[in-house]
Amino acid sequence: MAKRIRAAAWRFGMRAVLAAGLMALAIGTARPPHVAAASACGPTVNPVACENQNAGSPASLWDVSSAGDASIQGFATDISVAPGDTQSFKIDTDAAAYAIDIYRMGYYRGDGARKIASITPSAVLPQRQPTCLSVPATGLVDCGTWAVSASWVVPATAVSGIYFAKLTRNDTGGASHIFLVVRDDINRSEILFQTSDT
């Protein structure tokens, strides 16, 4: 239950800051001339503004209701990663098969997100995780003892922003989100946007 409450709080926080965040991420100075941009817009164009010009994916493909399906939940082992890093996911489900689609949030002509990649679980399925550690007095819930379920190598061309993995069961269609941030350690901007980490 605490896991679902934290997931719902994270989703609420992400939706609350999304509009301001996308605006902030789209404003900034261009990359230095010697640093290649992540897209075809060229090295002197803001890569975030350029990325957001792409066609997106309709919400019917990527959105889920509330905190998502309780029978398939998970989290990213790192809240933020840089292009070239590997992001691992820990997922708890009794599903014998499920899909993992990676999306980036953005304007995308009003669609709100764009599909970046699809990955497959590396764990033997179904994979049931151990009970999370908890401290009732403080409300702390720690699921760090879970085993890794899948990994994603962040492309070198990935543009900074808020990303999420959509987990979808093959049998019931039940789905949930795992949020993460892809950061840009090279670019220098006039505005810094910090997401809320529940």
Side-chain angles (χ1 to χ4, degrees):
M1 183 63 175
K3 188 167 54 175
R4 296 190 67 197
I5 292 172
R6 291 179 67 193
W10 172 251
R11 269 185 64 79
F12 179 78
M14 286 295 96
R15 286 184 173 178
V17 301
L18 178 58
L22 294 177
M23 181 182 299
L25 286 169
I27 300 173
T29 58
R31 291 170 178 253
H34 65 279
V35 179
S39 67
C41 286
T44 61
V45 177
N46 185 322
V48 173
C50 180
E51 168 67 17
N52 282 328
Q53 294 174 18
N54 290 318
S57 307
S60 59
L61 295 179
W62 57 261
D63 202 7
V64 301
S65 177
S66 187
D69 191 315
S71 71
I72 183 165
Q73 294 282 322
F75 62 94
T77 56
D78 293 297
I79 187 61
S80 74
V81 286
D85 288 348
T86 298
Q87 175 64 275
S88 295
F89 301 100
K90 297 185 176 185
I91 300 163
D92 183 31
T93 182
D94 61 357
Y98 61 89
I100 306 172
D101 294 315
I102 309 292
Y103 290 85
R104 180 187 180 276
M105 288 185 175
Y107 174 68
Y108 298 116
R109 306 179 191 179
D111 282 325
R114 182 170 82 92
K115 186 175 177 180
I116 303 298
S118 294
I119 59 176
T120 55
S122 55
V124 176
L125 302 179
Q127 180 189 28
R128 292 314 306 255
Q129 303 283 9
T131 301
C132 298
L133 304 175
S134 64
V135 181
T138 61
L140 173 68
V141 177
D142 182 1
C143 301
T145 57
W146 287 7
V148 170
S149 307
S151 297
W152 175 51
V153 178
V154 183
T157 55
V159 177
S160 64
I162 300 172
Y163 286 64
F164 61 89
K166 182 183 180 184
L167 316 175
T168 307
R169 295 179 60 124
N170 289 13
D171 51 3
T172 66
S176 66
H177 285 157
I178 297 176
F179 290 94
L180 63 136
V181 171
V182 173
R183 64 183 190 272
D184 185 345
D185 295 336
I186 298 175
N187 197 14
R188 297 294 179 263
S189 300
E190 296 175 356
I191 293 177
L192 169 68
F193 174 65
Q194 180 175 327
T195 62
S196 60
D197 179 8
T198 306

